[in-house]
Amino acid sequence: MRNDDSPLRPEPGPPAGPARPWFARRSTLVVAAAALAPIFLGGWVLTQILAGAGGDDSRPPRVVLPKGSSAPAPASPSPAAPAKGPLSGRTVVIDPGHNTGNFDHTNEIERQVDIGTNRKECDTTGTTTNAGYMEAEFTMDVSLRARRLLEAQGVKVILTHEVGGRAWGPCIDERARIGNQAKADAVVSVHADGVSAGNRGYHIILPADVRGGAADTGPIVGLSRQLGERIASNFARTTGSAPANYLGSGTGLVVRDDLGGLNLSTRPKVFIECGNMRDAKDAAQLTSPEWRQKAAQGIADGIVGFLGG
Ligand code: ZN
């Protein structure tokens, strides 16, 4: 804070006069000291203010991030009212895959749920890197970053679960329901894969055309492919990653009919597997906050392109 333009240098003192008796000299000194005190005091106060020692400034300090670094993801939900932007009025659901609490609730997440075409576990723990960084930590971090980017465009963003919001889950059928009930314009489930080392790269999972029970993906297959292609190309651009070298024939696109989160969706929806946590080179990227920001940017840009922003 600097709101004082007074000079830093004190005014010069009074010129020395002719010799006087000691009491007169002392009197002059006292007067001079009294006259100078406000100047020196003012200088001291100004110095303290410039040094940042003032205690009257309640504003938080401005944090200047080093070039190339990214701001930390927010730990709490965003405000309910999204910012105005070109995509105001659009709704996106982002589904952070798994939950860090799933490891402590294996009984709950092993419960079978109906995915229309089949029955499947409520949820899974997800994978980890060899060093123990959880897929669920990764998916939440990327989801929060993507949410912030989308909200800056005016998009209303709903996460299927929040940091510290629930002990485990939600189950895959509920994850799909959240997108359906929000009437989301697009839904993206964020994941990272856990296959053997040497398998690298990202892939997008698109819903197959399935029908059975509550599952009927016919109306969303085409739009979901458009969404997936947009995300794939933007993700490749922002991260520099290559499409998966172990499935999808190098396209970065895979169609599956066995995922409840896709089968039960009535809204355009894809999964993204951002990389392979069990490969050291991919893991080095997945554990980097800077890389995760690029990943979130690619996902957000793909969604924005799909929404016509
Ligand atoms: Zn996963």
Side-chain angles (χ1 to χ4, degrees), residues 80-299:
K84 288 261 187 297
L87 292 174
S88 292
R90 314 303 291 274
T91 300
V92 168
V93 169
I94 299 179
D95 175 36
H98 316 282
N99 181 326
T100 55
N102 284 2
F103 286 94
D104 299 322
H105 294 87
T106 48
N107 287 341
E108 290 91 335
I109 64 170
E110 281 171 7
R111 181 171 65 83
Q112 299 280 301
V113 297
D114 189 348
I115 66 163
T117 52
N118 205 344
R119 292 183 68 78
K120 221 171 167 181
E121 299 86 16
C122 148
D123 205 6
T124 54
T125 59
T127 188
T128 68
T129 65
N130 291 337
Y133 178 60
M134 284 186 257
E135 181 189 353
E137 295 176 83
F138 170 82
T139 64
M140 181 58 79
D141 182 79
V142 170
S143 297
L144 291 170
R145 292 171 187 275
R147 171 165 74 179
R148 201 166 36 190
L149 293 167
L150 290 166
E151 284 178 341
Q153 301 288 315
V155 176
K156 178 186 178 186
V157 180
I158 297 167
L159 299 193
T160 55
H161 62 112
E162 300 276 357
V163 176
R166 45 193 304 164
W168 53 274
C171 296
I172 53 176
D173 56 339
E174 185 182 346
R175 289 175 191 260
R177 243 186 340 262
I178 291 169
N180 298 347
Q181 289 172 350
K183 295 186 167 48
D185 296 297
V187 187
V188 178
S189 190
V190 179
H191 290 260
D193 217 346
V195 292
S196 53
N199 296 304
R200 296 197 60 193
Y202 70 88
H203 68 278
I204 313 287
I205 305 174
L206 312 174
D209 191 349
V210 297
R211 212 156 279 125
D216 180 7
T217 57
I220 65 159
V221 164
L223 284 172
S224 297
R225 176 171 284 274
Q226 288 179 28
L227 172 64
E229 289 175 347
R230 290 276 193 171
I231 292 175
S233 59
N234 281 283
F235 190 86
R237 177 179 56 80
T238 59
T239 62
S241 291
N245 63 5
Y246 57 100
L247 37 65
S249 307
T251 63
L253 300 171
V254 175
V255 176
R256 283 176 63 171
D257 64 4
D258 62 326
L259 297 175
L262 292 181
N263 287 6
L264 296 173
S265 183
T266 60
R267 316 302 301 176
K269 181 171 182 179
V270 299
F271 279 42
I272 179 167
E273 298 280 1
C274 295
N276 177 17
M277 300 198 90
R278 293 292 178 177
D279 177 84
K281 287 178 182 164
D282 271 13
Q285 296 179 324
L286 297 162
T287 54
S288 154
E290 288 76 19
W291 191 88
R292 292 197 297 271
Q293 185 65 26
K294 293 175 187 173
Q297 187 76 57
I299 293 168

Side-chain angles (χ1 to χ4, degrees), residues 7-89:
L8 287 172
R9 274 175 296 161
E11 298 294 326
R20 293 184 191 173
W22 67 269
F23 50 86
R25 283 204 306 274
R26 193 177 72 161
S27 167
T28 304
L29 282 171
V30 168
V31 170
L36 287 172
I39 294 167
F40 286 124
L41 185 62
W44 179 84
V45 169
L46 186 61
T47 304
Q48 292 300 300
I49 289 169
L50 291 174
D56 62 341
D57 192 346
S58 58
R59 290 173 300 175
R62 193 162 64 91
V63 177
V64 179
L65 293 164
K67 202 178 176 199
S69 73
S70 54
S76 57
S78 295
K84 288 261 187 297
L87 292 174
S88 292

